[in-house]
Amino acid sequence: HLSSAGRRLSPSCSSRRSTSPLPLAIMQLSPIDNVTLAFGAILGLAVARTLPSCVSYYAWFKSSGLDLANYRGYGHGACRLFGIIPAPFLSVRAMAVSGVAFLALIIAPAAPGLLPAPWRAPAYLAALAFYHLYFSQLYCEAHIGAHVTVLIPPALILLALSPALDESPGAPAEAAAFTCWLMKIILTSAYCGAGVCKITHSLRSLARGGSSWCTGSTLQAFIFEAMFLSTPRTHSSFGVPTPFSYTLQKLHLLYPRTLLMPASFVAVAFETFAPLMLLAPAHIASVPFALVGLKFHYGIALLQNIDFVSWWAAAYAFLLADPAAWSSGLLVCPVDGGAALGLAATVSAALETAPLRASLALAYVSIHVAATVLLRFFPDVEILPLSSFPMFGTPQNVFDRRLRKHFWLTHKPHATGTLKNYAFPFTRPHTVLPEEIAKLPFNYLLLSHGGSEKPELHSNVEVTPELQAALDKIQSLGNQEPDTFATDSSAAPAILLALEQAKAAFDAAPRVAPEAPLVAATPLTEAALASDDTDSAARELPSTTAWAVPSELPLGERLRLCLVRSVISAAIALFSAVDLIFVGVFAARDAARRAIFGGPARAEACKPAVVVVGGSFAGLRVQRDLSADFDVTLIDPKEYFEYTPGVLRLFTQPHKLLALTAQLPRKHNRLIVGEATSVSSEVVSVRDAATGETVELPYDYLVLACGAGYPCATVKPAMAETTLEARQATWNAASTTLVAAKSVVVVGGGLVGVELAAEIVEAHPRKPLTLLTGGDVLCGTLPRSVGRASLAWLVQRGVTVRFHAAVDDVDTGAVRLASGEVLCADIVYDCRGNGPGRAATLLKDGAASAATDAKGRVLVDETLRCAAGSGRIFVAGDAMSLPSSDDLKLGHTAELNADVVADNIRHLCHAAKGGAQGVATGLATYPFGAVGASKTPRVSCVSLGEGYGVLSFNGLVIDGALAAVVKALLEWTKIAACAERPVGVAFWKFGDAAANWISRTILSPPTKPAVRPLVLYDGVCLLCSTFVQFVLDNDEEEIIDFAPLQSEVGLKALKQAGLEADLSTMVLIDEAGAHVRSTAALRVLSRCGAPFSLLYALILLPRPLRDLGYSCVAAVRYRLFGKDDGGSCRRMTKAMRARFLDQR
């Protein structure tokens, strides 16, 4: 306990120990343990989450061939540690091992009781050594380079020298507080150095007629640079959640005097006067200062896309867990008690407890502070972690013609594990050379302009006329006066518009010197391929080891893949153990029943006969639901169930077939392996696969769940593949063909095409691959964010994705587009959707004939019965078409079909026993009978290789490794359920019920309204116009129309809605009526997709309270945000313009 550990606390503090409001975790640890635990947890989390990406980056960086890769070190100039210790050149494996060792050495001494007390100080010194080995290799990495980790070495040194690490009775709480005081001195001196740099640079700038740092122009320039990368869908910065960052950046950019000038004053004051907190009692200053500092750095992440939070937060552990702040209760410790843990008292106590270590710690802090002061006079000298912290000190102004400005665009992700944005020819001594830009694996453009030098343009993309026009506009806007940012309200909107135009033109611009085309579109393809290394196929033969990881993947990707596989294996092991328990319990139950009710079984009454054609999702669900009360016969051409959504992985890993299959059930039903050839009103004709004979099976009820064909033949088993051995041979052949191919085309940008492309590029990252889609997005039936995430993943791995590529014909090794272009490749996979349903061929004539839709699927009514068979034939899954349903054809919806079919068969059977009356009434309808609502849950999970995925539930989208883990567990449990394993059946009963309940109550499926919603807004209010542009960017379904309240259209709509013209409120008119103020705003946000749609939860607040806040903002909107004079207009497409009803 902190109080009991202290030997020098005043009586006034000691007497309050029993009532001290300490957190439980702090009370249970020694004073220094609180500090080390907080420090280790914060820093360990940052290292652990970035390690795989950093290792992957280093593997690329080391072999990139860039001149920049010849340097190691810290800061901007690859300096030595403390200016003395050189950085080694490590192999990728040694660098990864160093990172893991550093992580272990900061966690081990932090975990209470894990290391003996004498080992803790050496562990921190060893961590400092591995810090140098690991972080010195990453000085050009986007997240970790430069100054973001400079506080880690001082923290490690002070912890290693802390007298409190000695747990002898002579180590009081003052010794722990001593270490915290020293770290506070280093932290505040760093802030002060940064603040003084800003002030001195501002004075020099003002003397030259320029701007001060505090005018707001500098923050405006920094935010403008951040927006080079930001989009309306940017909600994180290097893993730190930054919701609505693009909107906030845009808002601050447009109002530099109103928002940024006060923020600039506060920032400079906070930094410059930070050391004053050392004069205040620790119990008053430590924790509040830490909270303000963390908020300060979070604001930087939010507005500038720079993450200091992850790395500087560890230094704040010394404030958040400061014994002087918590020893007798935060903000309530008496003055005399606070003095006992003041700076002077703790220094004295530390020198008394451990004079050598305390003296060394004081000496280091003195050197550190002195360096902060002295280096201010030598700004070009770097000896990190000693620094005057001059970064961001020079005032900036995007409109001042006298200042040199650098405008850059890139397709490089703004994420951990990428090259730093400042590693290019406008900064630092070592950069990517201009002649090397063409070699970069991502598109890049740099325009340097302004000042006394001539403009310079470096780019590896073609500067198209559209791009040149946007760049010229940016140069023109940057060639103005120092006060333009404050005096010309149209300047900021104009340069923001030019930025968006430049980004759009840059995205469309082709590479200047593209590498060899991924897929040749000429007849020379075969000759070019013939000249390649003929042994490459032999080297790429697929592994037969389940845990083998493709060696060509970057190390970070391999680590991620191994981690995902480990989590999946552990979860499957847990499920298997639970399954064994269930099996044991059920076996014991059955044995007890036989013992109690022994003797020969009584002859069961004749059960109604149900024939199920098709042993996949819908057919097996019906079989499981009805086999206890009906005589069920299952017909399928094969003896096994194959999990179709997962089979695309077998193209690259055919050895996993057994994990994706299960034997069709026989225990509670009859199984016939054969092909159903015809259906009459009474019997089903089946050709037995074993004997070749045709048998007729009478039925009382028939369920056709035989699926549909598929153009990519391997995806669905052929009639001849009745056994797993035959199916395995097919997959082995498909994998071998893929390995031998030197170029691949995948036709179809839906679920199957995207997943197949992902599997191929993960297994064969160097194999040229093109994905063709006829639409403008991938996975068009899913939320657009799913397609965007999939596109980003594929493009990052070198897949060429071509949109609007309508296909006329697919042949062996060639694809003919509607434009006449022919793409040639060694292998072409046609993944353009399901073919005709097989049920239609069984119901083609006679009494059992049924109508079909344009795709050859059997038409059914809402009870899922077709017109044939006197109401006793049901069709489910891919084989049927229900005109009133817009369900996706997925395994999940097929099983929901099966639930309605099973319920209706039970109902019909029960009604038949009571006579003909009531047979046709009371049947369940789809989808209400399955989910209790008019819409089924929109659930999907797109696999992007084994280690990544995109999970979607009713518009809520989660991508990353978590989605990959969820997909694998859903896959395993579904196969277990189809094999009638208890854990699988139980899991899906609960899972389906939970999904249906959530879909009914919390997160409803997205729906297209019967009428298009209309937003009426104040056309003069700049805030309202900004909100409309936000909705334009985030209304993924593009269903909301707009009109100004002042327009003729707006006035007419108000009159029809029975509302008076009121410019103080936005109006929404939708299928539910007219809405105003906060209700209108929240209902609009609910249609903007996650995370914005989650704000609709605020509708639960009382409307008067919501409207009060809305009215307060509306009353001052002109004064705060100004009026729209047309300067903020954006360039709109024809589709956008058509949504403004007053402009039609």
Side-chain angles (χ1 to χ4, degrees):
H1 297 80
L2 289 176
S3 298
S4 62
R7 303 289 181 177
R8 304 169 63 91
L9 292 178
S10 68
S12 58
C13 275
S14 302
S15 64
R16 298 171 63 92
R17 287 180 300 193
S18 61
T19 59
S20 174
L22 297 176
L24 181 60
I26 293 181
M27 293 182 65
Q28 293 176 339
L29 299 173
S30 69
I32 196 62
D33 284 344
N34 294 318
V35 178
T36 57
L37 182 60
F39 175 79
I42 296 172
L43 183 56
L45 177 62
V47 174
R49 75 178 181 85
T50 58
L51 180 61
S53 297
C54 288
V55 173
S56 176
Y57 156 81
Y58 184 68
W60 167 81
F61 179 72
K62 190 174 186 297
S63 59
S64 64
L66 300 175
D67 179 72
L68 192 65
N70 296 321
Y71 302 92
R72 302 289 187 276
Y74 301 93
H76 291 290
C79 71
R80 299 182 175 190
L81 184 68
F82 293 104
I84 301 172
I85 306 172
F89 285 72
L90 299 183
S91 67
V92 177
R93 179 170 298 179
M95 179 266 191
V97 170
S98 299
V100 173
F102 175 71
L103 178 60
L105 287 168
I106 60 175
I107 292 177
L114 186 60
L115 285 181
W119 292 10
R120 298 176 75 186
Y124 281 120
L125 289 177
L128 180 62
F130 281 104
Y131 165 89
H132 177 54
L133 294 175
Y134 177 64
F135 285 96
S136 65
Q137 313 301 305
L138 298 170
Y139 91 106
C140 278
E141 194 275 335
H143 189 193
I144 293 174
H147 290 69
V148 295
T149 66
V150 293
L151 292 181
I152 297 176
L156 294 173
I157 291 172
L158 293 180
L159 286 174
L161 296 176
S162 175
L165 286 184
D166 182 3
E167 296 184 354
S168 65
E174 287 90 332
F178 165 75
T179 301
C180 293
W181 275 110
L182 297 188
M183 192 63 205
K184 286 189 283 186
I185 292 172
I186 288 177
L187 178 64
T188 54
S189 67
Y191 282 126
C192 185
V196 169
C197 283
K198 292 179 175 64
I199 292 174
T200 55
H201 280 295
S202 295
L203 294 175
R204 293 174 183 173
S205 176
L206 290 172
R208 296 192 299 267
S211 301
S212 163
W213 212 98
C214 298
T215 59
S217 66
T218 302
L219 279 184
Q220 184 187 50
F222 291 155
I223 293 173
F224 180 65
E225 185 177 36
M227 296 188 75
F228 297 171
L229 294 166
S230 294
T231 71
R233 298 170 183 86
T234 300
H235 303 297
S236 67
S237 178
F238 296 112
V240 176
T242 54
F244 317 112
S245 60
Y246 177 84
T247 302
L248 292 172
Q249 289 168 354
K250 184 176 179 180
L251 181 66
H252 284 77
L253 180 78
L254 295 175
Y255 303 103
R257 302 288 284 182
T258 305
L259 300 177
L260 295 182
M261 186 170 70
S264 301
F265 271 108
V266 171
V268 173
F270 169 75
E271 291 181 329
T272 306
F273 299 112
L276 294 180
M277 67 88 60
L278 300 172
L279 304 178
H283 66 277
I284 293 177
S286 289
V287 174
F289 183 86
L291 297 178
V292 172
L294 291 172
K295 180 179 179 295
F296 174 76
H297 286 298
Y298 182 74
I300 294 175
L302 191 67
L303 295 179
Q304 294 182 235
N305 294 343
I306 301 174
D307 175 28
F308 282 90
V309 177
S310 298
W311 305 105
W312 283 47
Y316 280 109
F318 293 82
L319 284 75
L320 295 172
D322 185 2
W326 296 99
S327 60
S328 294
L330 183 65
L331 302 178
V332 298
C333 185
V335 174
D336 56 347
L341 293 180
L343 178 57
T346 55
V347 170
S348 176
L351 289 171
E352 178 183 343
T353 302
L356 178 60
R357 280 182 285 171
S359 299
L360 291 174
L362 288 169
Y364 172 76
V365 172
S366 299
I367 294 172
H368 197 104
V369 174
T372 302
V373 176
L374 294 175
L375 289 174
R376 176 68 195 88
F377 302 98
F378 303 95
D380 296 330
V381 176
E382 282 191 323
I383 52 174
L384 295 184
L386 307 179
S387 174
S388 62
F389 296 90
M391 59 278 199
F392 310 118
T394 304
Q396 304 290 327
N397 191 326
V398 295
F399 302 104
D400 189 351
R401 65 176 181 273
R402 296 175 299 177
L403 297 181
R404 191 67 170 172
K405 296 170 282 291
H406 306 283
F407 175 78
W408 48 267
L409 295 172
T410 181
H411 282 168
K412 177 186 70 67
H414 184 59
T416 305
T418 59
L419 190 64
K420 198 169 190 65
N421 298 321
Y422 299 104
F424 293 92
F426 65 94
T427 184
R428 68 167 64 225
H430 313 300
T431 69
V432 175
L433 302 178
E435 59 269 21
E436 293 176 332
I437 291 179
K439 303 177 184 178
L440 295 174
F442 49 83
N443 292 1
Y444 186 82
L445 177 145
L446 169 63
L447 170 65
S448 299
H449 65 101
S452 58
E453 302 176 43
K454 294 182 178 180
E456 292 184 34
L457 178 64
H458 303 288
S459 176
N460 59 13
V461 301
E462 180 182 336
V463 181
T464 61
E466 295 81 6
L467 181 55
Q468 185 64 60
L471 295 178
D472 291 343
K473 182 67 173 177
I474 289 172
Q475 289 189 73
S476 174
L477 291 168
N479 190 29
Q480 301 186 71
E481 300 300 323
D483 61 349
T484 298
F485 81 98
T487 59
D488 187 353
S489 61
S490 65
I495 202 167
L496 183 61
L497 176 61
L499 170 62
E500 295 302 324
Q501 293 171 347
K503 289 162 71 173
F506 178 78
D507 291 340
R511 288 284 289 243
V512 170
E515 299 176 1
L518 293 179
V519 178
T522 68
L524 300 177
T525 302
E526 294 182 4
L529 293 176
S531 66
D532 288 346
D533 183 6
T534 56
D535 295 331
S536 61
R539 292 197 302 269
E540 288 191 57
L541 284 175
S543 169
T544 57
T545 304
W547 275 83
V549 177
S551 59
E552 292 181 345
L553 287 179
L555 184 57
E557 291 288 332
R558 283 183 274 165
L559 291 174
R560 182 200 299 270
L561 189 55
C562 289
L563 178 62
V564 169
R565 287 177 172 178
S566 299
V567 173
I568 293 171
S569 298
I572 290 176
L574 178 61
F575 277 125
S576 299
V578 174
D579 188 62
L580 289 175
I581 294 173
F582 275 135
V583 170
V585 170
F586 292 157
R589 180 199 63 185
D590 294 341
R593 284 179 176 176
R594 286 193 298 271
I596 296 173
F597 306 103
R602 293 179 298 174
E604 295 185 0
C606 182
K607 297 180 179 180
V610 175
V611 174
V612 179
V613 180
S616 191
F617 295 102
L620 292 180
R621 183 83 154 227
V622 171
Q623 174 268 327
R624 287 198 303 275
D625 289 348
L626 298 181
S627 56
D629 302 312
F630 292 82
D631 182 8
V632 178
T633 300
L634 180 64
I635 303 171
D636 197 87
K638 57 192 187 308
E639 61 186 22
Y640 55 90
F641 162 77
E642 184 177 70
Y643 186 76
T644 304
V647 299
L648 299 174
R649 188 156 296 155
L650 300 180
F651 279 101
T652 59
Q653 302 180 59
H655 57 276
K656 291 191 173 182
L657 175 63
L658 291 179
L660 293 171
T661 56
Q663 292 294 319
L664 289 176
R666 301 172 183 262
K667 183 176 181 181
H668 305 293
N669 60 276
R670 179 186 179 191
L671 174 64
I672 297 180
V673 178
E675 178 187 3
T677 56
S678 64
V679 171
S680 71
S681 58
E682 302 294 336
V683 299
V684 179
S685 298
V686 182
R687 183 184 299 110
D688 191 290
T691 64
E693 297 179 354
T694 298
V695 296
E696 293 186 344
L697 300 175
Y699 64 86
D700 294 303
Y701 306 99
L702 173 63
V703 180
L704 297 177
C706 41
Y710 201 79
C712 187
T714 314
V715 173
K716 294 288 183 75
M719 288 295 179
E721 296 167 4
T722 59
T723 65
L724 277 174
E725 290 77 11
R727 188 63 170 153
Q728 184 69 71
T730 298
W731 281 118
N732 289 343
S735 180
T736 302
T737 302
L738 174 61
V739 168
K742 296 180 181 178
S743 59
V744 181
V745 169
V746 177
V747 180
L751 278 168
V752 176
V754 168
E755 289 193 348
L756 178 56
E759 295 295 340
I760 294 173
V761 75
E762 183 176 70
H764 308 288
R766 297 181 183 176
K767 194 181 295 292
L769 172 61
T770 295
L771 175 63
L772 304 178
T773 178
D776 58 352
V777 294
L778 297 179
C779 304
T781 58
L782 303 179
R784 285 181 174 264
S785 50
V786 175
R788 287 194 296 268
S790 302
L791 176 64
W793 191 93
L794 292 170
V795 170
Q796 186 178 14
R797 284 153 182 80
V799 177
T800 297
V801 181
R802 295 185 56 174
F803 295 102
H804 304 292
V807 174
D808 271 354
D809 184 52
V810 175
D811 199 356
T812 304
V815 179
R816 184 178 299 279
L817 303 183
S819 62
E821 181 182 2
V822 176
L823 297 180
C824 300
D826 280 7
I827 188 169
V828 178
Y829 296 106
D830 191 354
C831 305
R832 287 180 293 172
N834 291 337
R838 295 174 180 172
T841 61
L842 302 177
L843 300 172
K844 57 186 177 181
D845 52 30
S849 62
T852 60
D853 66 2
K855 293 185 177 181
R857 297 176 297 194
V858 177
L859 290 171
V860 297
D861 60 19
E862 291 185 340
T863 66
L864 303 189
R865 295 184 295 177
C866 66
S870 303
R872 296 182 296 117
I873 299 179
F874 295 83
V875 190
D878 291 348
M880 71 84 173
S881 174
L882 178 60
S884 61
S885 173
D886 62 350
D887 280 356
L888 302 177
K889 290 298 183 181
L890 302 173
H892 172 69
T893 51
E895 290 188 327
L896 296 179
N897 295 167
D899 290 340
V900 170
V901 168
D903 285 346
N904 285 340
I905 289 176
R906 290 182 185 277
H907 182 86
L908 290 173
C909 180
H910 178 75
K913 292 179 180 179
Q917 186 177 0
V919 171
T921 60
L923 295 180
T925 59
Y926 185 82
F928 194 88
V931 300
S934 59
K935 298 279 288 185
T936 60
R938 306 281 285 194
V939 186
S940 67
C941 192
V942 181
S943 293
L944 299 174
E946 281 191 83
Y948 204 90
V950 188
L951 179 65
S952 170
F953 183 90
N954 287 352
L956 178 64
V957 177
I958 301 172
D959 64 324
L962 176 62
V965 172
V966 170
K967 175 73 177 279
L969 296 182
L970 296 180
E971 178 180 281
W972 188 90
T973 52
K974 179 60 68 179
I975 296 170
C978 291
E980 298 187 326
R981 294 175 61 177
V983 69
V985 175
F987 178 91
W988 280 100
K989 282 187 176 180
F990 172 79
D992 285 339
N996 294 339
W997 179 81
I998 293 173
S999 184
R1000 290 195 305 269
T1001 57
I1002 300 176
L1003 190 61
S1004 301
T1007 58
K1008 289 190 177 181
V1011 296
R1012 291 177 63 88
L1014 173 62
V1015 171
L1016 303 177
Y1017 64 97
D1018 181 359
V1020 178
C1021 171
L1022 189 56
L1023 176 63
C1024 302
S1025 299
T1026 302
F1027 180 76
V1028 168
Q1029 293 184 28
F1030 165 82
V1031 177
L1032 274 175
D1033 290 330
N1034 293 278
D1035 175 21
E1036 294 188 348
E1037 302 298 329
E1038 299 180 355
I1039 59 173
I1040 299 178
D1041 291 333
F1042 307 92
L1045 285 162
Q1046 300 93 332
S1047 66
E1048 181 179 347
V1049 174
L1051 294 174
K1052 182 178 179 180
L1054 288 174
K1055 184 177 180 180
Q1056 291 176 346
L1059 298 175
E1060 296 182 358
D1062 181 6
L1063 297 182
S1064 67
T1065 177
M1066 178 179 67
V1067 179
L1068 171 67
I1069 302 174
D1070 60 12
E1071 70 278 6
H1075 314 278
V1076 297
R1077 297 183 177 84
S1078 62
T1079 303
L1082 291 175
R1083 289 182 70 89
V1084 171
L1085 288 173
S1086 71
R1087 300 180 185 273
C1088 288
F1092 307 108
S1093 59
L1094 300 179
L1095 293 174
Y1096 187 67
L1098 296 176
I1099 202 74
L1100 299 176
L1101 295 176
R1103 188 175 66 180
L1105 181 62
R1106 288 188 278 110
D1107 286 348
L1108 176 62
Y1110 184 96
S1111 299
C1112 290
V1113 175
V1116 297
R1117 67 190 188 279
Y1118 291 149
R1119 279 178 287 174
L1120 285 183
F1121 304 101
K1123 295 186 178 182
D1124 189 355
D1125 57 359
S1128 63
C1129 293
R1130 65 188 290 177
R1131 176 176 293 181
M1132 293 191 292
T1133 64
K1134 290 183 179 180
M1136 286 182 179
R1137 192 174 299 278
R1139 296 169 64 184
F1140 287 82
L1141 304 187
D1142 61 312
Q1143 299 186 25
R1144 288 183 176 177

